[in-house]
Amino acid sequence: MMSRLVWIGLLLCAGVASAAPEPVALAPLPARHPVILDIRFEGNAVTEPRVMTRELTIEVGGRADPKQIQASRQALLNLGLFKQVIVDERPMDDGVAVVFTVVEKWYLLPYPRLDYNSDREFAFGFKLDWSNVNGLNHDVQALVSRQENAEEDRGDATEFEFDYFAPYFLESSIDFGLEVSHDITPIEEETLAGEMLTYKEDYSRFSVLALRRLTPGRGSQGWRIGGGLLWQNETLRGDQAPAENGMATALVFQGRYEQLDDRLYSVAGYAFGWRIEASSADIASDYDYVDISLRSFSAIPLGQVPHQTLRVVADAGSYHGGPRDFDAHALGGGGNLRGFDKDEFEGDVYWRLSLEYQRPLFGYKPVRGLLVMDAGRVYDDFDKLTLSHIQADLGIGLRWRIQTFVNLTMEIGYAWPLTRGGSEPFFGKL
């Protein structure tokens, strides 16, 4: 009996052993990303390599993480200097070289200015737009022109402007900006007694600003905070000229946050900022004033259609003090309330909100159909702030983002006020 039980036990053990699964070979652990031994740039005939390097989230000696490589590619696109950026990894002994191949935009755009905008202002002269100066991503704009004014009491203005902007000035974390302008405008206005006064207004403006970048490792994104000086002066010439406002020297405090991705034919992300100007009659000024402004911008991708976005633009301002009979802010015209005349609403306090829906037409990415809605209000004083009597409009149009040049988008369309009859065209450069 015992021997029979032993045989049965041996047979059961053999069956279990034969039914046991074969050992499963474990998959090898994924290899770590290769080491980056070199970072190269190709196609940049103008742009300095150091301008591109400081935007990257990868570095020599680090790992070739695909997510970080693509983030670096997007950071180069965000400079706005290239219409194409291609990245690839080239094998090397014990690692890889990461190579960014770029196609640069045209950076120098000198052209005679012959312009007519939707505010019915005709201008002629010469303008220079020079982006990426010396390959350092600096920007220069210069203008000399003669321009008609949409306002009936103001004649043809002669304008001189010069703007210079230098990010990472002298290879520091400081962005430096300089603006100079001078306008000469003949004015013919009627007094309450019916007398016509004729004189000329000279308006000069000079500002210098420095903003420090506060978000390390984010390239051109993140926080910037700083300040500077603004000098402005009004001089009225002529025997019939009224008392002039004079000059003001103001301290400027400014901050900005930006997280925007340039997707060649559209933009996605958000940005917001604030600015405070303040002058004192006791310090190199003829009057006191404080001007506070806020601005917000969002571009939200919609659905699965590439470059279909909703843009939300909101800004507000409040001006306190200043010269007598001076309106600091205005709404109306192609720049904000598109369905109304230029600067139709004036005052010291304002707010404005614009919703802009964009969608590529017929599969052609650079040109997008545009639906807009604008709303806003201007007040004489902050104490009169209410939500009644809001001005609003609806519009339809086209936008064309031209990739050949840096930061060039054109729009054209028509807008209809919702608070009265009529319509207004809008067109021009964004």
Side-chain angles (χ1 to χ4, degrees):
M1 182 69 176
M2 181 63 68
S3 60
R4 186 174 299 176
L5 291 175
V6 172
W7 279 108
I8 293 173
L10 291 174
L11 289 172
L12 289 174
C13 290
V16 171
S18 63
E22 298 262 346
V24 178
L26 296 176
L29 293 174
R32 298 182 65 190
H33 300 306
V35 176
I36 300 174
L37 299 178
D38 192 14
I39 298 176
R40 304 172 191 166
F41 303 104
E42 297 180 356
N44 52 314
V46 176
T47 310
E48 290 287 337
R50 65 179 182 270
V51 172
M52 305 164 75
T53 300
R54 67 190 175 211
E55 302 296 320
L56 303 181
T57 62
I58 60 173
E59 61 183 356
V60 173
R63 295 287 177 173
D65 184 344
K67 291 183 179 180
Q68 293 302 318
I69 291 176
Q70 288 304 314
S72 295
R73 175 184 175 275
Q74 182 62 60
L76 294 181
L77 284 172
N78 291 344
L79 288 172
L81 303 177
F82 313 114
K83 54 185 176 182
Q84 189 175 38
V85 178
I86 300 172
V87 59
D88 64 302
E89 300 177 32
R90 299 180 185 175
M92 299 178 65
D93 293 341
D94 302 322
V96 296
V98 179
V99 181
F100 296 92
T101 303
V102 301
V103 178
E104 294 183 309
K105 297 181 180 181
W106 291 4
Y107 299 133
L108 187 61
L109 182 59
Y111 55 95
R113 187 189 187 198
L114 187 62
D115 185 25
Y116 181 76
N117 62 30
S118 55
D119 299 319
R120 298 178 179 85
E121 295 176 326
F122 175 77
F124 65 92
F126 181 82
K127 186 173 184 182
L128 172 68
D129 289 337
W130 186 4
S131 304
N132 203 14
V133 178
N134 294 330
L136 298 176
N137 197 23
H138 293 187
D139 184 74
V140 168
Q141 296 184 21
L143 169 69
V144 179
S145 76
R146 182 94 167 172
Q147 175 170 315
E148 292 181 355
N149 270 296
E151 300 172 73
E152 294 182 357
D153 61 344
R154 303 176 74 85
D156 296 352
T158 303
E159 302 177 331
F160 304 91
E161 296 180 8
F162 178 83
D163 298 339
Y164 173 68
F165 177 69
Y168 292 100
F169 186 60
L170 298 178
E171 301 304 311
S172 70
S173 59
I174 301 295
D175 291 352
F176 174 80
L178 173 71
E179 298 181 6
V180 182
S181 66
H182 183 71
D183 299 340
I184 304 171
T185 307
I187 298 177
E188 185 176 347
E189 63 179 351
E190 185 176 358
T191 66
L192 295 176
E195 180 185 3
M196 296 303 297
L197 302 180
T198 302
Y199 56 96
K200 286 188 177 182
E201 175 192 72
D202 287 13
Y203 187 80
S204 302
R205 184 181 174 96
F206 171 84
S207 71
V208 59
L209 192 67
L211 297 178
R212 180 178 177 82
R213 296 173 182 265
L214 299 180
T215 313
R218 295 287 296 279
S220 296
Q221 307 290 317
W223 274 105
R224 279 171 268 188
I225 294 179
L229 286 174
L230 166 65
W231 177 84
Q232 51 195 342
N233 181 58
E234 179 194 68
T235 302
L236 303 182
R237 295 185 286 119
D239 296 336
Q240 297 179 310
E244 60 194 22
N245 292 327
M247 92 172 167
T249 304
L251 288 174
V252 179
F253 305 94
Q254 186 168 329
R256 181 179 181 183
Y257 180 83
E258 184 174 301
Q259 183 58 57
L260 295 171
D261 282 346
D262 189 319
R263 300 184 177 181
L264 296 179
Y265 305 107
S266 63
V267 173
Y270 58 92
F272 62 89
W274 51 266
R275 179 183 171 103
I276 301 173
E277 300 174 14
S279 76
S280 170
D282 297 327
I283 306 176
S285 300
D286 294 323
Y287 52 87
D288 304 311
Y289 85 90
V290 176
D291 192 8
I292 303 171
S293 59
L294 303 169
R295 180 175 174 82
S296 173
F297 170 84
S298 297
I300 307 166
L302 298 177
Q304 301 301 315
V305 178
H307 310 294
Q308 178 178 242
T309 59
L310 174 65
R311 290 164 47 115
V312 182
V313 183
D315 52 271
S318 182
Y319 186 89
H320 306 269
R324 186 166 49 91
D325 299 327
F326 174 73
D327 292 319
H329 300 293
L331 289 179
N336 39 71
L337 293 182
R338 298 168 175 87
F340 298 86
D341 294 332
K342 181 183 180 184
D343 296 345
E344 183 172 341
F345 311 103
E346 297 182 330
D348 284 345
V349 179
Y350 86 100
W351 64 266
R352 189 262 302 204
L353 173 67
S354 293
L355 304 179
E356 304 171 354
Y357 168 75
Q358 303 173 121
R359 179 188 174 98
L361 294 180
F362 312 112
Y364 184 59
K365 296 177 182 178
V367 176
R368 289 158 291 167
L370 177 66
L371 295 175
V372 300
M373 185 191 76
D374 305 311
R377 177 79 194 276
V378 179
Y379 310 85
D380 292 332
D381 190 81
F382 190 82
D383 294 336
K384 300 179 180 180
L385 189 67
T386 68
L387 293 179
S388 61
H389 302 95
I390 294 173
Q391 305 297 332
D393 62 47
L394 289 174
I396 186 172
L398 296 173
R399 271 196 183 144
W400 179 22
R401 195 171 196 204
I402 304 172
Q403 286 300 312
T404 304
F405 300 98
V406 175
N407 195 28
L408 181 57
T409 300
M410 308 294 293
E411 74 172 13
I412 183 171
Y414 241 89
W416 293 266
L418 299 180
T419 52
R420 70 175 191 208
S423 62
E424 292 288 336
F426 62 89
F427 52 86
K429 174 185 174 182
L430 295 184

